[in-house]
Amino acid sequence: MNAPTTSPQAPHAYLWTGPRPLTLRAWLQCVGLVVLLAWLLAWSADGTQLSWHELAGGLPQIGDFLARSFPPNWALLGDLVAPAIETVQIALWGTLLGVLGAIPVALLAARNLNANRWLYAMVRQALNVTRSINELILALVFVSAVGLGPFPGVLALAVHGVGMIGKFFAESIEEIDQGPLEALRATGARPVQVIVFGVLPQVATAWIATVLYRFEVNLRQATVLGMVGAGGLGFELVNSLKLFKYQDTATCIVVVTLMVVAADALSSRLRHRIQDGRTH
């Protein structure tokens, strides 16, 4: 059967996310769904005290803050080199430890690799619990355990990263082609051999992309974690705010922005090189 062709005079075909309502009952259901969605949005707006009037009234205060922050104190750049390096180190080690912890967990959390359904369900729930705890809360816990400094920030990013990276790793394993795995098992390959030769080649690109993205996230989070005593640029940023040195705050924000932009450019370049290597 030949594929249908469209002429320039033919009307445009609109794609729906669901079946098009054809009956009066179906249209009433659509209207009811729209009304329910509108009520839900209004209810949530009331609960969050959403007020554009208050925002408009607060714009002068925002302008005053920006005026006090401009121009940034460029003389502070030399003092921010060490905190910036410390922030990168926190993000780097937080990502590395998170990946090392996520790999074995992901193998147990993949339905097509773990035949024990009870163990599978337990690991999945453990990942859910780990992801549900914010990095700031984890940082506060580790600060109370090991004291102030970058180490609690690394631990907080690593623990939260196990939950996030483990979920993405497990889902990418569940989406692979089962043919190579079944062929390896048919030849008598051991589970480790199935993972090394059947699973890893298929998920390597997705895993690398996940790790690079997680590093970008950790770089931003490492700055926030400094606000609770976990070192890095966040510590300098909070101190400048407490002392009302808004020009110093602006300088810290500029440095953080440049670091995130550089990390994004580097990860994008690496992803493109990996994709080009896979396609050639």
Side-chain angles (χ1 to χ4, degrees):
M1 182 175 62
N2 295 330
T5 58
T6 58
S7 61
Q9 294 78 17
H12 294 286
Y14 294 94
L15 298 179
W16 288 60
T17 57
R20 182 178 301 177
L22 300 176
T23 63
L24 178 60
R25 181 179 179 182
W27 278 108
L28 290 176
Q29 289 177 346
C30 288
V31 173
L33 182 61
V34 172
V35 172
L36 178 61
L37 180 60
W39 175 84
L40 181 63
L41 291 175
W43 170 74
S44 61
D46 181 67
T48 56
Q49 300 179 0
L50 190 65
S51 174
W52 299 112
H53 177 72
E54 291 186 6
L55 176 61
L59 289 178
Q61 283 75 17
I62 298 177
D64 179 68
F65 174 79
L66 294 177
R68 294 185 181 187
S69 302
F70 186 83
N73 182 13
W74 302 119
L76 187 66
L77 286 176
D79 296 332
L80 295 181
V81 173
I85 294 175
E86 189 174 71
T87 300
V88 174
Q89 292 171 336
I90 294 173
L92 180 63
W93 272 101
T95 305
L96 177 60
L97 295 179
V99 171
L100 294 179
I103 292 176
V105 175
L107 299 175
L108 295 175
R111 188 184 298 271
N112 54 343
L113 292 183
N114 189 359
N116 189 326
R117 296 309 173 193
W118 287 100
L119 180 60
Y120 165 81
M122 290 175 59
V123 174
R124 279 285 184 171
Q125 292 305 317
L127 290 177
N128 292 336
V129 172
T130 305
R131 291 197 309 276
S132 67
I133 305 175
N134 188 268
E135 294 97 329
L136 279 174
I137 299 176
L138 291 171
L140 287 172
V141 173
F142 287 120
V143 164
S144 64
V146 300
L148 299 175
F151 187 43
V154 172
L155 296 176
L157 293 178
V159 172
H160 191 269
V162 170
M164 293 297 298
I165 300 173
K167 172 183 169 61
F168 289 125
F169 280 9
E171 290 180 350
S172 63
I173 293 175
E174 292 179 345
E175 295 174 358
I176 64 176
D177 183 11
Q178 297 298 313
L181 275 64
E182 295 175 357
L184 287 169
R185 293 188 181 111
T187 60
R190 298 179 179 179
V192 175
Q193 294 174 319
V194 172
I195 293 172
V196 172
F197 298 106
V199 175
L200 294 183
Q202 297 189 66
V203 300
T205 302
W207 282 18
I208 292 174
T210 299
V211 172
L212 292 175
Y213 173 74
R214 185 63 190 178
F215 176 73
E216 295 177 32
V217 173
N218 284 345
L219 189 61
R220 292 189 291 268
Q221 288 297 326
T223 303
V224 178
L225 294 181
M227 298 182 179
V228 295
L233 278 172
F235 187 76
E236 301 294 332
L237 192 148
V238 170
N239 284 340
S240 64
L241 284 173
K242 289 180 178 179
L243 297 175
F244 303 103
K245 296 181 178 180
Y246 297 129
Q247 292 179 322
D248 294 354
T249 303
T251 307
C252 294
I253 294 174
V254 169
V255 173
V256 171
T257 302
L258 292 177
M259 289 173 58
V260 173
V261 170
D264 177 72
L266 178 61
S267 62
S268 297
R269 182 178 295 273
L270 290 175
R271 282 196 297 268
H272 290 153
R273 290 180 66 89
I274 292 169
Q275 292 173 357
D276 292 340
R278 298 279 292 183
T279 55
H280 291 83

